[in-house]
Amino acid sequence: MKLFGSSLILSGTALGAGMLAIPMVLAQFGFVLSLVLMLIIFIGTTYATLLLTEACTKTETSSGLSSVALATLGVKGKYAMNLFFYMLLLCMMVAYSLGIGDLLHKLFLSFGINVANPICYSIFSLLMGVIVISGKSYIDKLNRVLFILMVVMLCVVIASLFSKINLGYLTQTANFTLFDLVKYSTVIFTSFTSMVVIPSLVEYNKDATPKQLRNMVLLGSAIPLLCYLTWLFAIVGNLGTDQISQFNHISELIAAFSGHSLLLKGVISVFSALALVTSFLGVSMALYDQNRDAISEHKGLCFGLTFVVPLLLASIFSNQFVSMLDYAGMILVFLAIWGPLAMAVQVRKPQHLLPESSLIYTVSGGNIGLIMTFFFGVFIFVSWFVQ
C-alpha cells in the first residue's frame, strides 16, 4: 500500500497542472496530433524520472535532491540543482495557488460571498502546510482519499460527456504552425513531470526492491497519461477547438459546461479542485523536504519558506496560471532531464561508491537511452525559445 500510495502521490503531483492546462493549450491541434505529442513527452519524462530513481538508490542519503546532487555532482552541481529545484517548485506552488484561489473565489461567489482570491489561496495554503509538516504518512493517507475521490469524479464527468461527443470536433483544428506545436511542448512537459517527489518517495520506500521502485514510477507516470487522453477526448469532443482555445482561466473552462447541467458543472468544479490539491500536496512535500535537507531542520523556518514565500510571489504573479507552468517547463529541462541524466552518468562510473544496501536500481537502455534523453531535453529547451 505504501508503494501504491507513492504512485498516487507521483500521479497526483502531475495531474493538477495537466488536467486544467492541457485542454486550453492542446485543443487547437486536434486530438490525434495532441495524442502523438503527449506520447513522445510521456516516454521522455518517464525515462528521466527512472534515471533520477536510479541515482537516489545509488547514494547513501536520498531524502532530498540536495543530498543526491552533492553525492553525484559535487558542490557546484548541488548548488546548481538546488537553484533550479527552488525555481521550479516556487513556479509550481504559485501556479497551483492561483488555480485554487480562482476556484475557491468562484465557489464562494456561488453562495453570494465575495472573498478575494489572495485570501482564498492563503487560507488553503496554510492549512495544507499543517498537514505537510505532520509527516509523509499523513500526506500519503490524505492523498489516497483525495486521489480516489478525484478518479470517481473523473469517471462521472467522462460518463456524462461521452454521451454528447461530437466526433467532428475531434478532427477539428485551428490555424497553427509547427512553431505553435513546439511552443506549447513546455506546458505539456510540465504536466507530465512529477520527478520533484522522487527523492522523498525513494526515502519513504527505502526497503522496496528495484523492481518495485520501477513499477511505482511506471504506474505513477501511466495514470496521468490515461487521464489526460480521456479528459482531452471528452473536453474537445464536447466543446470543440474554437471555443476551448479562447480560455485563459480554469473557471472559464468550467463555466463552459453550464449549459449541460448544474450537477455536471459542480462535479467538474470539485474534480478540478481535487486535481490541484493533490498536486499542491506533492509539490509542497518536495519543497518542504528540500528546505529541511538544504537549509534547516527547524520546522517553523521550513514552514515559512515552503508556504509563506510562494504566497507572496502569488500576489505578484496574479492571473498567470499557464504562464507559471510555462516558466516551470524551461527550468524542468535542467532539473528533470539533464540533471538526472548527469547523475545517472556519475553513479554508473566504476569509481562511484555505491551504498552497502543491495536494493539499488539501474535503468535499462544503456548509452542509447542516455543519448536519447539528452536530445529529448534539447527539444524541450529549444521549444521554450520558440515563444
Side-chain angles (χ1 to χ4, degrees):
M1 289 304 297
K2 280 180 65 177
L3 285 162
F4 179 67
S6 298
S7 291
L8 296 186
I9 290 177
L10 196 63
S11 300
T13 304
L15 280 172
M19 295 303 285
L20 306 173
I22 277 181
M24 292 189 285
V25 299
L26 278 187
Q28 60 184 307
F29 307 123
F31 181 76
V32 177
L33 195 55
S34 299
L35 167 64
V36 174
L37 181 61
M38 277 198 282
L39 285 175
I40 293 173
I41 293 178
F42 161 75
I43 294 171
T45 53
T46 301
Y47 194 82
T49 303
L50 289 171
L51 289 177
L52 179 58
T53 304
E54 174 182 341
C56 289
T57 64
K58 292 182 177 179
T59 53
E60 288 288 352
T61 305
S62 61
S63 60
L65 192 66
S66 180
S67 297
V68 180
L70 177 62
T72 55
L73 304 178
V75 176
K76 292 182 179 179
K78 168 191 169 182
Y79 288 137
M81 292 299 289
N82 280 343
L83 175 62
F84 290 129
F85 198 59
Y86 278 117
M87 291 171 65
L88 168 70
L89 292 179
L90 287 174
C91 283
M92 297 180 80
M93 288 281 282
V94 170
Y96 298 148
S97 296
L98 292 174
I100 290 168
D102 184 41
L103 289 177
L104 290 177
H105 174 69
K106 294 296 189 299
L107 176 63
F108 284 123
L109 279 181
S110 66
F111 291 102
I113 305 173
N114 188 3
V115 182
N117 282 19
I119 296 177
C120 291
Y121 60 66
S122 296
I123 294 174
F124 168 82
S125 180
L126 296 177
L127 287 176
M128 288 296 103
V130 174
I131 296 173
V132 170
I133 66 173
S134 299
K136 290 186 181 66
S137 61
Y138 293 97
I139 301 172
D140 182 11
K141 292 171 185 175
L142 175 60
N143 188 77
R144 287 185 209 177
V145 174
L146 294 176
F147 196 92
I148 292 172
L149 182 58
M150 181 176 67
V151 171
V152 171
M153 293 291 180
L154 177 61
C155 292
V156 172
V157 172
I158 296 303
S160 301
L161 296 182
F162 266 44
S163 62
K164 301 179 178 66
I165 291 288
N166 184 336
L167 296 179
Y169 284 157
L170 298 174
T171 57
Q172 186 182 63
T173 58
N175 293 324
F176 69 90
T177 64
L178 179 60
F179 285 109
D180 293 324
L181 185 64
V182 175
K183 170 183 174 181
Y184 288 108
S185 296
T186 50
V187 177
I188 310 307
F189 171 58
T190 307
S191 302
F192 271 102
T193 306
S194 51
M195 54 73 63
V196 294
V197 298
I198 287 296
S200 300
L201 294 181
V202 171
E203 178 71 14
Y204 183 47
N205 297 282
K206 55 187 176 182
D207 296 325
T209 65
K211 184 177 180 181
Q212 288 175 325
L213 288 175
R214 182 202 64 191
N215 292 341
M216 176 194 77
V217 173
L218 292 179
L219 177 61
S221 301
I223 291 174
L225 174 65
L226 179 61
C227 291
Y228 290 157
L229 291 177
T230 309
W231 180 242
L232 185 66
F233 183 86
I235 295 294
V236 174
N238 274 262
L239 299 179
T241 295
D242 295 336
Q243 185 176 359
I244 302 174
S245 299
Q246 298 173 8
F247 298 152
N248 294 309
H249 301 287
I250 301 166
S251 55
E252 294 175 5
L253 176 63
I254 295 171
F257 290 97
S258 58
H260 288 65
S261 71
L262 290 177
L263 177 60
L264 178 60
K265 182 181 177 182
V267 171
I268 293 178
S269 298
V270 174
F271 165 74
S272 301
L274 290 172
L276 283 171
V277 172
T278 54
S279 287
F280 187 91
L281 276 173
V283 172
S284 59
M285 177 189 72
L287 181 57
Y288 181 74
D289 282 349
Q290 177 68 5
N291 284 325
R292 294 190 65 190
D293 183 44
I295 298 178
S296 172
E297 288 281 340
H298 191 275
K299 283 192 173 183
L301 176 60
C302 290
F303 181 91
L305 292 173
T306 305
F307 298 99
V308 178
V309 173
L311 290 179
L312 297 176
L313 293 175
S315 65
I316 299 173
F317 297 100
S318 58
N319 300 320
Q320 297 292 320
F321 176 71
V322 175
S323 296
M324 294 308 296
L325 294 179
D326 188 26
Y327 298 142
M330 175 59 176
I331 301 167
L332 267 171
V333 175
F334 296 94
L335 186 69
I337 303 297
W338 290 336
L341 175 62
M343 292 178 185
V345 170
Q346 290 299 319
V347 297
R348 292 182 186 184
K349 290 182 177 179
Q351 60 267 33
H352 177 76
L353 297 177
L354 296 174
E356 295 181 3
S357 172
S358 60
L359 301 176
I360 57 175
Y361 169 63
T362 301
V363 188
S364 59
N367 291 332
I368 295 178
L370 299 179
I371 294 171
M372 294 300 292
T373 301
F374 173 78
F375 283 109
F376 174 70
V378 171
F379 167 71
I380 300 297
F381 184 75
V382 170
S383 71
W384 195 85
F385 287 98
V386 169
Q387 303 172 59

